[in-house]
Amino acid sequence: MTICGRGFFLMARFGCGRLLKFLCSAALLGVVTLLLHNVFSEPHDHTTPKPEPKTEPEPGPKTEPEPGPKTEPEPGPSSFPVLADCNEVSPLLVGPCPPKLYSPPSLEEIQNKSAPLSPGGLYSPPDCQAKHSSAIVIPYRDRASHLRTFLDHLHLFLQRQQIQYKIYVVEQWGRGTFNRGKLLNVGVQEALRDGNWTCIITHDVDLLPEDDRNIYSCDPRNPTHLSVGVDKFNYMLPYTSLLGGVVAIAPDHFKRMNGYSNRFWGWGGEDDDFSARVSLCGMKVVRPPVAFARYKMIVHKNDKGNAPNPSRMELLKQTRNNWRRDGLNSLNYKLLSKKLEGLYTNLTVDIGGT
Ligand code: BGN
């Protein structure tokens, strides 16, 4: 029964005036006419749900629309603009791309050079459907000029790779001792809340890739160490288990390893602990050829609040016993702010410590 039908029934039952009866009848007639008109004039069947144009969940951000044709209203399955998959190898790659290390431009100038980004530093190739969607997670504090140098280089570098990506800068709030591993855990957790990334890239802000054939995507079976050769180490690995700098890791693998340890306060060791977790979880580290997995490091003085951790050797002895309970599953922090900047998403976090 319609609302008016119910009203009419009640009024008739409780004896309302004739005028009211007349008005309600007229309204009821109007509703019936409208209903009949809808039934006979609409070409499609309202009772059958319309098929969704896409059945597969899309990779990438859950909360923000992607730029490009996909953000336009979808007129219906037949006219939905379907982008062809991007090529296996991007035609935009140039190979060696020496980074400019010092005197970075302003954020505004960097943004003007970049292809259009969605707020928070999200990019999707405009002409093809990206094969990879990567969240770039950067532990950070007090390195404004390094960050600009990094953004100036990395956006164009990633855009030439035709991947979908977003840059998350995880900033440790306060003056306490820095904790790279914990910041990375926070960044990965927040990034995965934000988007269905197929790959996580943990990235130091002072490392700049020198060749865009070093693709920022994940291996389906194993974590990949991307910063194989760093100029500081004469482009040679100082030791074979090193897993610092830049790592590409599938979200499932990161979770399987319980992320990083939260216990390494200060410089050193958290990456060695992470490397040990890879083997403890039955995986191995893979590396692209050093011919293009090359990086320049921005030279800088040691950071305040990030002195070498005197306990790191002791902590490393405990990895085997502790990794299952120290990591993502024991992570606690306060997200103080999440700001969608033009070139990146800033997550400012209180991770405790002293
Ligand atoms: C190692 C550090 C790493 C660091 C590399 C490269 C330690 C643990 C005790 C051996 N490891 O020595 O954290 O990434 O150097 O700088 O200090």
Side-chain angles (χ1 to χ4, degrees), residues 233 239 242 267-269 271-272 312-313 316:
F233 302 123
Y239 52 98
L242 178 72
W267 183 89
D271 50 350
D272 301 310
R312 62 192 193 281
M313 295 289 197
L316 280 173

PDB file of all heavy atoms in Angstrom, residues 233 239 242 267-269 271-272 312-313 316, ligand 1:
ATOM      1  N   PHE A 233      78.943   2.485  -2.442  1.00  0.00           N
ATOM      2  CA  PHE A 233      79.636   1.206  -2.292  1.00  0.00           C
ATOM      3  C   PHE A 233      80.270   0.760  -3.619  1.00  0.00           C
ATOM      4  O   PHE A 233      80.418  -0.438  -3.876  1.00  0.00           O
ATOM      5  CB  PHE A 233      78.662   0.120  -1.802  1.00  0.00           C
ATOM      6  CG  PHE A 233      77.991   0.431  -0.490  1.00  0.00           C
ATOM      7  CD1 PHE A 233      76.610   0.460  -0.377  1.00  0.00           C
ATOM      8  CD2 PHE A 233      78.749   0.683   0.648  1.00  0.00           C
ATOM      9  CE1 PHE A 233      75.982   0.749   0.831  1.00  0.00           C
ATOM     10  CE2 PHE A 233      78.138   0.971   1.869  1.00  0.00           C
ATOM     11  CZ  PHE A 233      76.759   1.011   1.964  1.00  0.00           C
ATOM     12  N   TYR A 239      77.682  -6.925   1.191  1.00  0.00           N
ATOM     13  CA  TYR A 239      77.576  -8.334   1.620  1.00  0.00           C
ATOM     14  C   TYR A 239      76.287  -8.906   1.022  1.00  0.00           C
ATOM     15  O   TYR A 239      75.328  -8.180   0.746  1.00  0.00           O
ATOM     16  CB  TYR A 239      77.612  -8.492   3.152  1.00  0.00           C
ATOM     17  CG  TYR A 239      76.639  -7.635   3.936  1.00  0.00           C
ATOM     18  CD1 TYR A 239      75.426  -8.153   4.380  1.00  0.00           C
ATOM     19  CD2 TYR A 239      76.935  -6.304   4.235  1.00  0.00           C
ATOM     20  CE1 TYR A 239      74.540  -7.370   5.114  1.00  0.00           C
ATOM     21  CE2 TYR A 239      76.060  -5.514   4.963  1.00  0.00           C
ATOM     22  CZ  TYR A 239      74.863  -6.047   5.399  1.00  0.00           C
ATOM     23  OH  TYR A 239      73.979  -5.280   6.117  1.00  0.00           O
ATOM     24  N   LEU A 242      72.570  -8.262   2.231  1.00  0.00           N
ATOM     25  CA  LEU A 242      72.099  -6.874   2.403  1.00  0.00           C
ATOM     26  C   LEU A 242      70.725  -6.692   1.742  1.00  0.00           C
ATOM     27  O   LEU A 242      70.498  -7.109   0.603  1.00  0.00           O
ATOM     28  CB  LEU A 242      73.095  -5.895   1.754  1.00  0.00           C
ATOM     29  CG  LEU A 242      72.674  -4.424   1.836  1.00  0.00           C
ATOM     30  CD1 LEU A 242      72.815  -3.889   3.252  1.00  0.00           C
ATOM     31  CD2 LEU A 242      73.487  -3.557   0.891  1.00  0.00           C
ATOM     32  N   TRP A 267      70.104   3.860  13.898  1.00  0.00           N
ATOM     33  CA  TRP A 267      70.596   3.364  12.603  1.00  0.00           C
ATOM     34  C   TRP A 267      71.077   1.911  12.676  1.00  0.00           C
ATOM     35  O   TRP A 267      71.759   1.518  13.620  1.00  0.00           O
ATOM     36  CB  TRP A 267      71.753   4.264  12.122  1.00  0.00           C
ATOM     37  CG  TRP A 267      72.243   3.851  10.771  1.00  0.00           C
ATOM     38  CD1 TRP A 267      71.789   4.272   9.557  1.00  0.00           C
ATOM     39  CD2 TRP A 267      73.282   2.895  10.511  1.00  0.00           C
ATOM     40  NE1 TRP A 267      72.473   3.635   8.548  1.00  0.00           N
ATOM     41  CE2 TRP A 267      73.399   2.778   9.105  1.00  0.00           C
ATOM     42  CE3 TRP A 267      74.104   2.117  11.314  1.00  0.00           C
ATOM     43  CZ2 TRP A 267      74.307   1.949   8.478  1.00  0.00           C
ATOM     44  CZ3 TRP A 267      75.025   1.260  10.685  1.00  0.00           C
ATOM     45  CH2 TRP A 267      75.125   1.188   9.291  1.00  0.00           C
ATOM     46  N   GLY A 268      70.727   1.137  11.649  1.00  0.00           N
ATOM     47  CA  GLY A 268      71.340  -0.160  11.398  1.00  0.00           C
ATOM     48  C   GLY A 268      70.608  -1.366  11.935  1.00  0.00           C
ATOM     49  O   GLY A 268      70.000  -1.351  13.004  1.00  0.00           O
ATOM     50  N   GLY A 269      70.671  -2.413  11.149  1.00  0.00           N
ATOM     51  CA  GLY A 269      70.225  -3.727  11.596  1.00  0.00           C
ATOM     52  C   GLY A 269      68.813  -4.110  11.194  1.00  0.00           C
ATOM     53  O   GLY A 269      68.536  -5.287  10.949  1.00  0.00           O
ATOM     54  N   ASP A 271      67.247  -3.761   8.486  1.00  0.00           N
ATOM     55  CA  ASP A 271      67.221  -4.375   7.162  1.00  0.00           C
ATOM     56  C   ASP A 271      67.810  -5.788   7.191  1.00  0.00           C
ATOM     57  O   ASP A 271      67.373  -6.678   6.455  1.00  0.00           O
ATOM     58  CB  ASP A 271      67.930  -3.493   6.126  1.00  0.00           C
ATOM     59  CG  ASP A 271      69.311  -3.034   6.584  1.00  0.00           C
ATOM     60  OD1 ASP A 271      69.664  -3.228   7.768  1.00  0.00           O
ATOM     61  OD2 ASP A 271      70.045  -2.474   5.749  1.00  0.00           O
ATOM     62  N   ASP A 272      68.794  -6.006   8.076  1.00  0.00           N
ATOM     63  CA  ASP A 272      69.363  -7.354   8.207  1.00  0.00           C
ATOM     64  C   ASP A 272      68.339  -8.299   8.838  1.00  0.00           C
ATOM     65  O   ASP A 272      68.235  -9.469   8.460  1.00  0.00           O
ATOM     66  CB  ASP A 272      70.639  -7.304   9.064  1.00  0.00           C
ATOM     67  CG  ASP A 272      71.691  -6.380   8.440  1.00  0.00           C
ATOM     68  OD1 ASP A 272      71.973  -6.533   7.246  1.00  0.00           O
ATOM     69  OD2 ASP A 272      72.185  -5.485   9.150  1.00  0.00           O
ATOM     70  N   ARG A 312      71.993  -3.276  18.187  1.00  0.00           N
ATOM     71  CA  ARG A 312      71.507  -3.959  16.973  1.00  0.00           C
ATOM     72  C   ARG A 312      72.027  -5.387  16.823  1.00  0.00           C
ATOM     73  O   ARG A 312      71.320  -6.258  16.332  1.00  0.00           O
ATOM     74  CB  ARG A 312      71.765  -3.121  15.726  1.00  0.00           C
ATOM     75  CG  ARG A 312      73.213  -2.817  15.397  1.00  0.00           C
ATOM     76  CD  ARG A 312      73.261  -1.731  14.322  1.00  0.00           C
ATOM     77  NE  ARG A 312      74.545  -1.559  13.705  1.00  0.00           N
ATOM     78  CZ  ARG A 312      75.577  -0.890  14.251  1.00  0.00           C
ATOM     79  NH1 ARG A 312      75.474  -0.363  15.457  1.00  0.00           N
ATOM     80  NH2 ARG A 312      76.711  -0.773  13.588  1.00  0.00           N
ATOM     81  N   MET A 313      73.275  -5.637  17.275  1.00  0.00           N
ATOM     82  CA  MET A 313      73.813  -7.009  17.178  1.00  0.00           C
ATOM     83  C   MET A 313      72.993  -7.964  18.067  1.00  0.00           C
ATOM     84  O   MET A 313      72.653  -9.070  17.640  1.00  0.00           O
ATOM     85  CB  MET A 313      75.269  -7.045  17.674  1.00  0.00           C
ATOM     86  CG  MET A 313      76.199  -6.238  16.817  1.00  0.00           C
ATOM     87  SD  MET A 313      76.442  -7.039  15.243  1.00  0.00           S
ATOM     88  CE  MET A 313      77.913  -6.192  14.708  1.00  0.00           C
ATOM     89  N   LEU A 316      69.659  -8.652  16.571  1.00  0.00           N
ATOM     90  CA  LEU A 316      69.725  -9.551  15.413  1.00  0.00           C
ATOM     91  C   LEU A 316      69.825 -11.020  15.826  1.00  0.00           C
ATOM     92  O   LEU A 316      69.379 -11.903  15.096  1.00  0.00           O
ATOM     93  CB  LEU A 316      70.906  -9.169  14.514  1.00  0.00           C
ATOM     94  CG  LEU A 316      70.640  -7.977  13.585  1.00  0.00           C
ATOM     95  CD1 LEU A 316      71.911  -7.550  12.855  1.00  0.00           C
ATOM     96  CD2 LEU A 316      69.546  -8.314  12.565  1.00  0.00           C
TER      97      LEU A 316
HETATM   98  C1  BGN B   1      75.193  -2.722   7.777  1.00  0.00           C
HETATM   99  C2  BGN B   1      74.007  -2.388   8.637  1.00  0.00           C
HETATM  100  C3  BGN B   1      72.799  -2.207   7.746  1.00  0.00           C
HETATM  101  C4  BGN B   1      73.093  -1.180   6.668  1.00  0.00           C
HETATM  102  C5  BGN B   1      74.317  -1.605   5.904  1.00  0.00           C
HETATM  103  C6  BGN B   1      74.701  -0.639   4.805  1.00  0.00           C
HETATM  104  C7  BGN B   1      74.161  -3.376  10.858  1.00  0.00           C
HETATM  105  C8  BGN B   1      73.868  -4.593  11.715  1.00  0.00           C
HETATM  106  C9  BGN B   1      75.107  -5.122  12.336  1.00  0.00           C
HETATM  107  C10 BGN B   1      75.995  -5.840  11.340  1.00  0.00           C
HETATM  108  N1  BGN B   1      73.779  -3.476   9.587  1.00  0.00           N
HETATM  109  O1  BGN B   1      76.327  -2.853   8.545  1.00  0.00           O
HETATM  110  O2  BGN B   1      71.705  -1.821   8.524  1.00  0.00           O
HETATM  111  O3  BGN B   1      72.009  -1.039   5.782  1.00  0.00           O
HETATM  112  O4  BGN B   1      75.381  -1.730   6.802  1.00  0.00           O
HETATM  113  O5  BGN B   1      74.922   0.625   5.274  1.00  0.00           O
HETATM  114  O6  BGN B   1      74.698  -2.414  11.327  1.00  0.00           O
END
